[in-house]
Amino acid sequence: MYGMTHRALRQMMIDRLGPSAWAKVERETATGPADLISLCVYDDSKTIALISASAARLGMEVDEALRIFGRYWVRFAELSSFGPIMDFTGQDLVTFINNLDRMHRSVVLAMPDARVPSFTLIEETRERLLVRYRSDRTGLEAFVIGLLEGLMDRLNETGTAKLVGHTNGAVDFAIQLDRN
Ligand code: HEM
């Protein structure tokens, strides 16, 4: 993945545990400044190694760390040069999710080697959204849950996101909103 992801993880770890915890993650994974260049692409194994070492420092399972990282990513992206793109993507969950593929396509203009996922809103009621996720990667389901939670935070919604099933290589997530 792009180094922007590694930088986001570093920031999250420094926010949570301070710089010395991140320094340990770097030592354990033989990571240096050359692995943290926003616009460089690294093998996914590097990204996974950094997340695993961070999870151990946080005292969490890898999936829990992926989830909090997904939630953090939304705030990190807001403060990055992509912030304005997020504003255009939507001010409510339905619009945002419907425009997410377009948003990732504009990310790809800046980061041509990004392998971005695809999201489709397949069912919508006032209280529940069903979102289909397709990716050529596996194992990032907990990250998706965190991202959906991060989107709820951003768009002033409360509720839960959970994996509800697999369909033809895609993964379905339900967002249950607290709306009365
Ligand atoms: C402005 C906000 C965002 C930016 C700049 C952004 C950008 C990116 C970038 C650069 C990658 C890495 C691709 C690669 O290096 O190959 C990525 C991956 C990903 N993005 Fe986004 N993204 C944003 C918001 C979101 C949101 C809101 C969601 C979901 C609700 C999302 C879902 C994902 C997922 C699941 C991946 C992992 C790759 C995969 O599944 O194959 N992103 N995104």
Side-chain angles (χ1 to χ4, degrees):
M1 282 200 192
Y2 269 89
M4 182 184 172
T5 317
H6 301 170
R7 293 180 84 93
L9 185 65
R10 175 177 69 171
Q11 197 56 52
M12 182 185 85
M13 290 298 289
I14 293 174
D15 284 2
R16 285 198 162 228
L17 299 178
S20 63
W22 177 254
K24 286 183 188 126
V25 169
E26 287 200 345
R27 265 201 306 281
E28 283 164 17
T29 53
T31 297
D35 298 300
L36 292 160
I37 302 168
S38 275
L39 288 179
C40 272
V41 184
Y42 305 94
D43 196 274
D44 279 7
S45 59
K46 181 77 207 171
T47 314
I48 298 298
L50 285 170
I51 290 181
S52 303
S54 299
R57 288 281 142 216
L58 291 160
M60 290 177 186
E61 298 292 329
V62 171
D63 270 0
E64 186 55 15
L66 273 172
R67 181 172 158 206
I68 60 160
F69 183 45
R71 199 163 184 164
Y72 188 85
W73 174 258
V74 176
R75 283 195 287 136
F76 184 85
E78 276 167 6
L79 299 175
S80 77
S81 56
F82 293 105
I85 296 182
M86 287 187 91
D87 292 338
F88 286 124
T89 302
Q91 297 300 331
D92 63 88
L93 265 182
V94 167
T95 310
F96 200 102
I97 292 167
N98 278 326
N99 286 329
L100 199 49
D101 284 5
R102 205 171 320 181
M103 190 210 76
H104 270 136
R105 279 198 293 277
S106 52
V107 169
V108 173
L109 294 178
M111 299 174 152
D113 295 319
R115 286 153 49 207
V116 294
S118 173
F119 289 88
T120 319
L121 185 60
I122 53 173
E123 265 177 47
E124 175 197 343
T125 64
R126 211 175 103 75
E127 283 157 10
R128 186 173 185 271
L129 306 178
L130 197 58
V131 182
R132 186 157 288 170
Y133 158 67
R134 289 175 207 279
S135 167
D136 62 7
R137 295 183 168 96
T138 54
L140 293 180
E141 290 79 3
F143 183 53
V144 173
I145 290 177
L147 284 159
L148 295 173
E149 290 172 341
L151 271 188
M152 284 191 263
D153 294 341
R154 173 178 163 83
L155 300 169
N156 299 314
E157 294 275 8
T158 57
T160 55
K162 65 174 187 188
L163 194 161
V164 288
H166 293 83
T167 324
N168 299 330
V171 189
D172 292 345
F173 295 87
I175 300 176
Q176 187 70 44
L177 296 168
D178 302 330
R179 286 178 173 170
N180 298 311

